[in-house]
Each structure stands twice: as C-alpha cells, then as structure tokens.
Amino acid sequence: MSPDLIDGKQRDLGDGFVVRRMLPHLKARHVGPFVFFDQMGPAAFGEDTGMDVRPHPHIGLATVTWLFDGAIRHRDSLGSHVDIHPGDVNWMTAGRGIVHSERTPPVERHHGQKLHGIQVWVALPKTHETIEPEFHHHPASELPRVDVDGGQLVVIAGDAFGVTSPVRVFAPMFFVEARLKRGSRLTMPAHHAEWGAYVVEGAARFGDLDLSALDMGVAHDGEPPVLEAREDALVMLFGGAPLDGERHLWWNFVASSKELIEAAKADWAASAERFPVVPGDEHERIPLPPH
C-alpha cells in the first residue's frame, strides 16, 4: 500500500509566528502513538518580543519539544523550570493532569531570536493515561546518534536504527531527526508497524511518494517504506505500534473516554486543585475555550 500524503494547515499566531499543523488529519488521526504534530516557525522575533504560551493544562499525553533554532523556557506545576535549546529534549508526561507554560527566556527576549522547531503529542496507553505527571529534560549529549551512509540520525525518543533513547516512553515508538545528503537511503524500522516522515527542509521520496519541504508521508502495515533524500534534507521520522484504541482530542486534552475529557474541562473551568498553579508563572492562565 502506498503511503498517504499529508498536507498541513498553516496558522498565523501573530507577529509573524506561524504554526503548521500536520496531525491530526483526515487521512491519519494518529501514527503509532503520535496524535498531534506541529511545526513552529521558522520565525524571527524582534527585540523585547517573543513567544508567550500562558499556563494551560494537559491530560492523557506526553508533549515533546524539539528545536532547530531558538530557546524556550518551560515551567510546570511540578516545579520544573528549564530552558530548552536545539538538540535537547523536553518530555512532559501529563498523565492525570499537569499545567505548563512556554515562553521566550529573558536574554533571548531582550536581544531578539529566531525560533524553529517541532512539537508533538504522544498519547499514553490506557494503562498509563492517568498516572502521576512527570517532566524530564535530556541535554543533547545524552541522545544517541547513528551515522548512516550520507547522513546522521538523532534518536530523540523510543528505539530505531539499532539504538534506544534514554527518554522514558510507555509504548513502542520512535522519534528521529535525520539529516541526509542527496541520494542517502534509509529503510524505516521493521519492528514498528506504522511510520511517518515529515520533510522540514529539502525533498525526499518515501516509498513511492515524493515529498517536498513541509510535506508528510504516513504508512501503515506492509513492508517498511524506504526514505531517499532527493536533495540534501532534514526529515523527522516517527511512528510505532498502533494505538490501543481511538483517542478523543479536545483542546489540550487527550483521553480514551469522553468522561475523562469532561472531567478535565470542569476542573480547569473551576480552577480545581487537580490543576495547580505553575510556580513562577502564577498570574496568568489560558481560559477554557467556549466550545
């Protein structure tokens, strides 16, 4: 079966900050455990401006931030306070509920910065979707790298291409940055059943599907697709085992049942103790959307 082409939707959040949403999509609600895939930027912020994502809640998922350029300060209701830079991993497991904010750090805000990266949501298996929340930061030096003919891979999370990331995951999956020279070829890991490839820069061929920059290809079952760089390319590879059932997505909540979504909505609307404040960022919050 040929891979499906995913064309994302672009959204301008203001000040020239553009987000391109690739998942969920009508052709692919999820790929492995990945239920959400955004490209942030590339954007250029002027002096004394930056990104400000006010405190907001999550349940039932893990969020992953991977930067190519810029810096983001993460704070959450566990007391985590860390700046992420290109090559580092911020892995936040929401479980039964967590609140976090993402803002441009003071130094970068003062001088201005470029920002470019990927944010994904990984649905937790039903056995773990209401676990206690966690946050783990992994510097670039901890992530395994794999040299391939004509390129280099960074295994951000999960296992692929003979190595395993130290990031704690809860189901079979892989999330990989691939920087490839023209003509370089990779076969997607055969021990995973679903595969995706998103071209950030350059062009590639995924199975029999041609991908230009900002295109995504996804494949389910059958033989693992071969990825070939048609020119020098930066490609994000991802996938894993099929989800253990469908997921409901509403705003920032992911759950296997609508009841869990409704409970989270009620808690956030009431500012219940289940969603505590973010230390150091206590004075703002994103309100519950009306619909």
Side-chain angles (χ1 to χ4, degrees), residues 73-83 90-92 98-101 134-137 278-280:
R73 174 159 296 179
H74 167 96
R75 294 182 188 264
D76 63 42
S77 51
L78 299 175
S80 310
H81 174 198
V82 63
D83 292 350
N90 274 5
W91 181 284
M92 186 181 75
I98 198 169
V99 183
H100 76 135
S101 64
E134 300 177 353
F135 176 79
H136 300 284
H137 174 82
V278 175

Side-chain angles (χ1 to χ4, degrees), residues 79-283:
S80 310
H81 174 198
V82 63
D83 292 350
I84 182 174
H85 296 92
D88 302 337
V89 172
N90 274 5
W91 181 284
M92 186 181 75
T93 300
R96 65 179 183 83
I98 198 169
V99 183
H100 76 135
S101 64
E102 296 169 295
R103 300 182 186 270
T104 299
V107 172
E108 286 82 0
R109 183 182 299 272
H110 178 67
H111 294 289
Q113 73 159 345
K114 295 179 180 179
L115 186 64
H116 187 200
I118 301 292
Q119 285 196 324
V120 299
W121 294 357
V122 176
L124 299 176
K126 294 177 184 178
T127 53
H128 292 81
E129 67 178 336
T130 57
I131 63 172
E132 290 296 312
E134 300 177 353
F135 176 79
H136 300 284
H137 174 82
H138 295 268
S141 60
E142 293 183 359
L143 302 182
R145 285 166 165 73
V146 179
D147 291 321
V148 296
D149 187 19
Q152 187 178 67
L153 314 178
V154 180
V155 179
I156 301 165
D159 66 291
F161 305 105
V163 298
T164 300
S165 166
V167 175
R168 185 188 182 199
V169 299
F170 298 89
M173 61 162 287
F174 68 99
F175 188 34
V176 175
E177 179 197 86
R179 294 182 180 269
L180 305 172
K181 294 293 186 181
R182 181 179 179 179
S184 180
R185 291 168 58 89
L186 286 174
T187 300
M188 293 299 97
H191 62 289
H192 293 296
E194 299 183 347
W195 310 275
Y198 176 68
V199 179
V200 181
E201 298 171 357
R205 188 168 179 83
F206 187 59
D208 60 1
L209 184 67
D210 286 331
L211 300 177
S212 300
L214 310 183
D215 284 342
M216 176 183 286
V218 299
H220 301 79
D221 301 320
E223 292 296 316
V226 174
L227 176 78
E228 180 179 358
R230 294 191 291 124
E231 56 187 67
D232 291 356
L234 168 56
V235 187
M236 302 304 296
L237 311 176
F238 61 99
L243 273 178
D244 57 350
E246 284 298 331
R247 291 300 189 272
H248 302 277
L249 275 70
W250 189 89
W251 191 39
N252 299 312
F253 303 141
V254 173
S256 62
S257 74
K258 292 183 179 179
E259 289 75 19
L260 288 172
I261 299 282
E262 292 302 318
K265 290 167 63 175
D267 284 344
W268 185 249
S271 298
E273 289 186 0
R274 180 173 177 222
F275 287 123
V277 298
V278 175
D281 203 346
E282 305 95 337
H283 305 298

